[in-house]
Amino acid sequence: MKTKIYLIAIAGYVLMATACSKGGIIDPEPESVSGPGVETNPPNTSYTPAFAGQTRITAVRTNTAFKGTAISTALTAPWGITTLPDGRLLITQKAGTMRIATTNGTLSAPITGLPAVNANGQGGLLGLCIDPQFSTNRMVYWVFSENVAGGNQTSVAKGKLAQNELTIENATVIYRAGPAYNGTLHYGGRILFDRTGNLIVSTGERSDLATRPLAQSVTAGLGKVIRINTNGQPATANPTFSASSALPELYSIGHRNPQGLALHPVTGDIWQSEHGPRGGDELNRLQGGRNYGWPTITYGIEYSGAAIGSAIQQQNGLEQPAYYWDPVISPSGMVFYSGNRVSEWQNNLFICSLSATHIARLVIINNKVTGEERLLASEGQRFRDITQGTDNALYAVTDGGRLYRIDKS
């Protein structure tokens, strides 16, 4: 059976859900509804946004009838998902294996042969992508938390998916974000190809007060978005940072725990989401060579309620987020929709939410968020990553081991 959600405008914006067993969601309401923002909980802070529409934007909703159905519940802590040229889905599992899923939810045996991961805490086998020439070279790239001398770190590896699809051949670590640290938090972990054929990788600042300032250091790989070639070397034409000792692989700095990366299908711009502290989850449109502020500026506070640093949200030379959430939704994997199954979703950004257990749909016009919708909220799942299939449906995985198909009904 499928779950049905009807959104009805009554004295503002009221959400009604009719839930059935075996997660699925149908939204047949024919009329568009707009009004207050979808967030109704009080914010964690009293900070003022830098511009109108930077947070709590007007709620929008999809006119087209669509449904979300759990096509598999047999994954084990999936973390990343990407689409193969033949339409199947390649998925990472946190403990260190990959699986292939059909669009009917049939799963392959675990794919082995990857370097060992440190799966403690937030670590493990994280985001992945495939080579643009995968049909001929079968190359896969992934991010993982690796044990090294001095602790562990966010690392990038590559390997060839064997013809029998049971193993990854010649797995090689091509990049390590130093310095190593003995912790279990904030690895970042997303990876994608940009339009120049280079890899964009997000790394976390490892959370603790000892490492947090390294997000602002151009000599450390923590709290960064980096740009490397497929051999792990700094990409040509990378931006230049002021210090002569700056790492040449840096693309942008000042990030906390960035778990979302997506390429705009029209502009090719790189968009990124990151976990804030208590309040202040961010969505950024990345520009090379820019500083996105953490921990100098933030719209969040410590989990204890204490201010972070000087408790400022703006400073010259530091970039403002295009959008932020307070309270947090814990944004993870994300994708821009470029399909034709639901035309009104064209170029909308879909972001997985962990703590708020939904998928956020953001309407973005001229690089500004103009509307927000929350999908599959009644499923109660921590959505971890999302991709668009070759069939133009969306596919998302959850921490609880589910694989969802989201498509026109």
Side-chain angles (χ1 to χ4, degrees):
M1 298 179 66
K2 298 181 175 65
T3 303
K4 296 186 176 181
I5 292 181
Y6 300 89
L7 299 177
I8 304 175
I10 302 176
Y13 196 69
V14 179
L15 176 65
M16 298 180 64
T18 302
C20 301
S21 63
K22 290 192 178 179
I25 290 179
I26 297 178
D27 190 342
E29 175 61 37
E31 295 184 3
S32 176
V33 178
S34 63
V38 289
E39 183 59 75
T40 58
N41 292 317
N44 293 129
T45 77
S46 58
Y47 297 149
T48 302
F51 55 85
Q54 193 180 21
T55 190
R56 292 176 177 253
I57 198 64
T58 299
V60 295
R61 65 179 311 277
T62 302
N63 297 325
T64 306
F66 71 92
K67 61 182 178 180
T69 305
I71 59 175
S72 176
T73 59
L75 292 163
T76 303
W79 212 95
I81 183 171
T82 193
T83 304
L84 295 172
D86 65 5
R88 295 179 300 160
L89 306 160
L90 184 61
I91 300 167
T92 60
Q93 297 184 133
K94 187 176 181 290
T97 58
M98 297 182 185
R99 307 286 291 272
I100 295 175
T102 68
T103 54
N104 292 323
T106 302
L107 299 179
S108 73
I111 299 168
T112 60
L114 289 76
V117 307
N118 181 333
N120 293 327
Q122 295 175 0
L125 184 58
L126 306 176
L128 82 164
C129 65
I130 61 171
D131 194 283
Q133 305 303 318
F134 178 87
S135 295
T136 55
N137 65 25
R138 301 184 65 80
M139 292 300 295
V140 181
Y141 301 81
W142 64 93
V143 184
F144 69 110
S145 53
E146 181 185 22
N147 286 329
V148 296
N152 49 68
Q153 58 193 20
T154 302
S155 298
V156 180
K158 68 177 182 180
K160 182 178 180 180
L161 179 63
Q163 288 292 336
N164 64 11
E165 299 182 341
L166 296 177
T167 188
I168 295 289
E169 299 174 340
N170 302 316
T172 306
V173 178
I174 61 172
Y175 179 80
R176 294 179 171 96
Y181 181 68
N182 190 16
T184 63
L185 304 174
H186 292 195
Y187 291 96
R190 293 298 172 195
I191 184 170
L192 56 74
F193 275 91
D194 67 11
R195 286 189 172 178
T196 70
N198 290 299
L199 290 163
I200 303 292
V201 182
S202 66
T203 71
E205 37 70 288
R206 307 306 309 278
S207 180
D208 292 351
L209 293 178
T211 58
R212 183 185 287 180
L214 295 179
Q216 285 294 314
S217 170
V218 295
T219 63
L222 308 186
K224 307 297 190 300
V225 171
I226 67 165
R227 184 168 171 261
I228 54 177
N229 63 26
T230 55
N231 293 319
Q233 298 302 307
T236 58
N238 267 354
T240 301
F241 288 84
S242 56
S244 60
S245 57
L247 297 176
E249 64 265 30
L250 300 184
Y251 187 79
S252 62
I253 71 172
H255 301 293
R256 187 173 181 267
N257 187 24
Q259 288 191 4
L261 287 173
L263 206 67
H264 194 285
V266 176
T267 66
D269 288 343
I270 303 162
W271 289 71
Q272 169 258 9
S273 67
E274 64 184 77
H275 294 242
R278 187 177 169 191
D281 283 349
E282 292 186 5
L283 174 68
N284 295 296
R285 183 175 70 91
L286 295 184
Q287 298 180 72
R290 302 294 179 88
N291 184 341
Y292 288 82
W294 177 258
T296 307
I297 62 171
T298 177
Y299 284 93
I301 55 178
E302 301 283 10
Y303 293 114
S304 67
I308 293 174
S310 300
I312 58 173
Q313 293 73 59
Q314 301 179 50
Q315 181 172 298
N316 289 339
L318 303 181
E319 300 300 313
Q320 283 291 307
Y323 193 68
Y324 72 88
W325 292 267
D326 181 7
V328 298
I329 66 168
S330 305
S332 193
M334 62 191 205
V335 69
F336 280 97
Y337 184 76
S338 59
N340 56 14
R341 294 285 294 166
V342 183
S343 59
E344 63 195 288
W345 288 355
Q346 192 72 214
N347 301 326
N348 290 180
L349 182 61
F350 290 78
I351 305 178
C352 290
S353 163
L354 295 167
S355 62
T357 61
H358 66 266
I359 296 174
R361 168 192 168 225
L362 297 183
V363 180
I364 299 175
I365 299 176
N366 296 326
N367 299 325
K368 291 188 176 182
V369 175
T370 62
E372 181 176 3
E373 181 177 17
R374 295 185 169 182
L375 311 179
L376 279 66
S378 66
E379 297 294 279
Q381 294 288 305
R382 287 170 56 88
F383 287 92
R384 178 63 68 171
D385 198 15
I386 188 168
T387 189
Q388 181 178 314
T390 59
D391 58 359
N392 292 325
L394 293 171
Y395 293 88
V397 291
T398 74
D399 283 0
R402 295 187 184 184
L403 170 62
Y404 280 85
R405 175 188 170 99
I406 305 158
D407 193 18
K408 181 177 180 179
S409 61

